Amino acid sequence: MNVIRAQFSCKHSDVSFFVFCLSNKIDKNIVDEFLEFGVKVIILDGESLITKAYSLRQYINKMGVNIIHSHGTPADLCSAFSFSKVKKFTTVHNCLLADFIPLFGPLKGGLVFILQMIAFAFIKNRVACSKSVGNVLDSWHIKNTVISNGVNQKVYTSASPEEKILIKSKYHIKNSGLVYLYCGSFIRRKNVDFLLRSVQLNENDVFIFVGDGPLLNECKKIVLNDARYVFLGQLDSCLDLYKVADYFASASFSEGLPLAVMEAYSCGAKLILSDIPPHKEILEMASKGSVAIFSNDVLIKLNVSNLFLDNHVVLNSCVFSAAEMSKKYSDLYLRA
């Protein structure tokens, strides 16, 4: 969703966008946001993926759509089974089997992988959201173009000291300690329990967790009755929290190119990341001293003062620019 937002915020005046949704359970705030960009949201008719694909085909013919750009396996299948002759694009945000099997299990995960490969057969323009995802696609001999995710530089910016005080007051955060932040799902792939067991907090520090998922209650039990750990559930936006976070942490076993990490970085947070290829990709692009990589193969204690021995940090968030990402997509559309 955030990649789509970024494209709309940087879109060119001579391009018209429509969002076709497979589900009618889309947040009204998101619909309103898209309307502000001049983007119309259309809920596809039908109960099954096949009927929705037929509905998509009808809209394509009626509205004179030139390009369909899908995100995710269900959307890719809908695009593929529309059997429309318009140019089709997909952005791949995951590492295929490495994500499907932990999420769905071996049997269902394998089936989803097969369906994804079928969709790729109909969608010739595949975009990897990171070099790491591109390498995974290469390993399956799936031709692709790498366009790294980006964030809106006008929105994700550092806060002034006064703004930070106001935000901390809003969330009842102490001014005297460090603020750690995690934003994401509570699932095995995200490895949130590792962060709860491993990151060492001082007395006045706070670790804020944003998100929901099947492992939320299990994670809460790890730090039961410790007020330094705060669980806020699902939020519409983490922007305020990015702005007050001293450190953003991710212990994921697998990612595409995590936007939450890049958004927090653009707002001034240092990054504490597990040693997976997409996180190392971020390390290569980030300023010296602003990212620390750790191994989550074994349970270890993460002491921030030891992780960040080099204090030389000059944040250069433009490397994650949504405008640059949008331009690359526009160029890709024109070349196809």
Side-chain angles (χ1 to χ4, degrees), residues 230-295:
V230 180
F231 296 85
L232 297 180
Q234 198 73 40
L235 298 179
D236 290 335
S237 172
C238 294
L239 180 58
D240 279 354
L241 295 171
Y242 292 152
K243 288 178 176 289
V244 296
D246 296 290
Y247 298 98
F248 186 96
S250 171
S252 290
F253 293 121
S254 177
E255 290 284 353
L257 192 64
L259 270 173
V261 172
M262 295 155 62
E263 288 167 351
Y265 177 87
S266 295
C267 290
K270 289 185 179 182
L271 305 177
I272 304 173
L273 307 175
S274 54
D275 59 348
I276 59 176
H279 286 166
K280 292 178 179 178
E281 198 170 321
I282 290 174
L283 173 64
E284 292 173 2
M285 294 187 285
S287 299
K288 183 180 179 182
S290 61
V291 184
I293 299 289
F294 66 87
S295 171

Side-chain angles (χ1 to χ4, degrees), residues 23-70:
S23 171
N24 58 6
K25 297 178 181 178
I26 181 170
D27 192 292
K28 183 181 181 301
N29 293 329
I30 294 175
V31 174
D32 291 341
E33 181 183 351
F34 286 171
L35 289 174
E36 288 180 9
F37 289 127
V39 177
K40 186 177 180 181
V41 178
I42 298 170
I43 308 297
L44 293 175
D45 301 322
E47 296 298 324
S48 69
L49 201 59
I50 296 299
T51 55
K52 289 181 184 296
Y54 177 76
S55 175
L56 176 62
R57 181 185 176 90
Q58 297 295 100
Y59 277 113
I60 289 172
N61 294 336
K62 179 182 176 181
M63 302 166 69
V65 172
N66 304 111
I67 289 172
I68 289 290
H69 191 153
S70 52

Side-chain angles (χ1 to χ4, degrees), residues 105-204:
L107 187 61
K108 187 177 178 181
L111 177 60
V112 172
F113 173 73
I114 292 170
L115 291 172
Q116 182 66 75
M117 298 297 278
I118 292 172
F120 284 155
F122 288 89
I123 303 173
K124 302 303 181 184
N125 300 288
R126 307 115 181 179
V127 178
C129 73
S130 68
K131 293 177 184 176
S132 304
V133 170
N135 290 336
V136 171
L137 294 176
D138 289 341
S139 71
W140 290 98
H141 305 290
I142 300 167
K143 186 178 178 181
N144 67 91
T145 301
V146 175
I147 299 179
S148 296
N149 287 342
V151 300
N152 189 337
Q153 301 300 304
K154 297 178 181 177
V155 175
Y156 296 94
T157 59
S158 300
S160 66
E162 294 77 17
E163 187 180 359
K164 287 187 177 183
I165 290 172
L166 290 174
I167 295 172
K168 285 185 176 182
S169 175
K170 174 183 174 181
Y171 288 97
H172 308 289
I173 300 170
K174 295 178 182 179
N175 280 316
S176 54
L178 295 171
V179 178
Y180 296 80
L181 179 63
Y182 166 82
C183 296
S185 302
F186 285 77
I187 56 178
R188 288 294 175 204
R189 179 171 62 85
K190 295 292 188 176
N191 201 25
V192 184
D193 60 320
F194 177 91
L195 297 175
L196 290 163
R197 298 179 192 278
S198 301
V199 176
Q200 294 181 308
L201 301 184
N202 294 318
E203 182 179 352
N204 293 319

Side-chain angles (χ1 to χ4, degrees), residues 88-106:
K88 295 184 177 71
F89 293 77
T90 177
T91 296
V92 184
H93 299 276
N94 60 51
C95 296
L96 302 181
L97 279 176
D99 286 329
F100 292 152
I101 289 179
L103 183 60
F104 300 113

